[in-house]
Amino acid sequence: MLVLVAPGQGAQTPGFLTPWLDLPGAEEKLRQWSALIDLDLVRYGTEADEAEIRDTAVAQPLLVASALLSARQLFPSTDDLTAAVGAVAGHSVGELAAAALAGVLTDEEALRLVRTRGLAMAEASAVTKTGMAALLGGNRDTSIAHLERLGLTPANVNGRTQIVAAGTMEQLDALAQDKPEGVRRVVPLKVAGAFHTHHMAPAVDALEAATKELAPRDPALPYVSNSDGQAVATGADVLARLVGQVANPVRWDLCMETFQSLGATAQVELCPGGALTGLAKRDLPGAGTLALKTPDQLDAARALVTEQSSTAG
């Protein structure tokens, strides 16, 4: 069973979309989406520097657009995708791409919504200087308790041995000097704020208002939510979770537990993948993995999809 996942903020790198523009129709599609959300996705994906694409208002639409672009190249039709994929999920902002791939939203609806999300979260981030840092190693329960003593939020619980802390810069500095037992390193992330914490509460209202204009469809295949790792049955519930997730922790560890319970034997991570593939290698033992970073990997991804479909059949 194949799981299709979309990466979250921090996965972007300067110029990562450049090779994708050589594919038939790719640049045209990106320019259509750019006009739709009033953001030059082509320039930001090919020419912008690291500081520009770190901006939350830019990074979030760029990541959703790149995930959708690569997915539509891998699966030429919706029928192809639903026939081959056993479940979809996205990490943090990647959930917007997953919602479109599951048929809850159209690609255009997902991009308009993520544009609102990115702008609102950028505005919330400007109120207080905050950030995020990854804890490498250690024990999940011990680390979470330690973070809470420091006033930090375990904003991303990504696996058995990787947690992302979020809070003020002073709190993160304290963490660097006082690591939880067993944690090897504390690595600052290239994000502009303390996402998935109470610091993002102002963005929740903006996103909720934007969703009132939408008429979501029920997922055409299992959509696994970051909130609790559960497969969500209705489009209305997907939207409600997307809104609430902005100010609440991401439980990717629980998503991977659900992938296992569903019988996942392979995972493809959409462009610009990498981090979720690394987590799967550790926490989904025996499952095949592929991070679809460039078009050169499309043939390998198609071969993995065909292999999984043949095995399932």
Side-chain angles (χ1 to χ4, degrees), residues 30-52:
L30 283 173
R31 293 201 182 280
Q32 289 173 354
W33 288 343
S34 296
L36 178 73
I37 63 173
D38 192 26
L39 185 73
D40 192 344
L41 296 166
V42 173
R43 190 187 80 77
Y44 282 115
T46 60
E47 300 175 7
D49 62 23
E50 185 174 2
E52 287 182 283

Side-chain angles (χ1 to χ4, degrees), residues 26 47-48 104 111 133-134 142 170 172 179 212 214 216 232 234 236 257 265 282 285 288 291 311:
E47 300 175 7
V104 176
L111 285 161
T142 300
E170 292 78 11
L172 291 170
K179 297 190 294 290
K212 293 185 184 303
L214 299 173
V232 183
T234 71
E257 288 179 13
T265 52
R282 289 192 293 273
T311 303

